Amino acid sequence: QVQLVESGGGLVQAGGSLRLGCAASNNYYAINAMGWYRQAPGRQREFVASITTGGTVKYADSVKGRFTASFGDAKNTVFLQMNSLKSEDTAVYFCNAEDRYYELPGEYWGQGTQVTVSS
């Protein structure tokens, strides 16, 4: 069973930056795609960014130009660099991974990490 462990959430002022990380446990290397979703209070979970081992990277329109997804050296870790944060970026961010297909949403989810942007 693959477990995804997230890190890097917290409180930041508007205009600031945060970097989220997500690692697959048990040295699991069969992952084809990883990425991030987020859920704000009272709203549905929404797509943020994804990256595949084939090199395809996708972003939600709301974060293009501000967020960057990347793999670690071993492609069972994904990072989300978030710059120019806005109050509307406040949400619980969930890591997601898939090991059969090259797109998200995938089968595996992290427990979520809170990102709070103060205005």
Side-chain angles (χ1 to χ4, degrees), residues 48-107:
V48 176
S50 65
I51 183 169
T52 74
T53 54
T56 300
V57 185
K58 296 181 180 179
Y59 298 98
D61 288 342
S62 59
V63 307
K64 280 181 182 176
R66 300 188 298 122
F67 290 11
T68 303
S70 61
F71 278 121
D73 291 338
K75 292 185 178 177
N76 63 347
T77 301
V78 66
F79 299 99
L80 185 68
Q81 179 67 43
M82 305 185 294
N83 298 329
S84 302
L85 283 161
K86 306 175 181 179
S87 57
E88 51 262 46
D89 294 318
T90 295
V92 178
Y93 284 70
F94 295 90
C95 180
N96 184 231
E98 170 61 36
D99 59 1
R100 289 183 294 169
Y101 307 108
Y102 287 83
E103 60 184 5
L104 299 181
E107 181 174 354

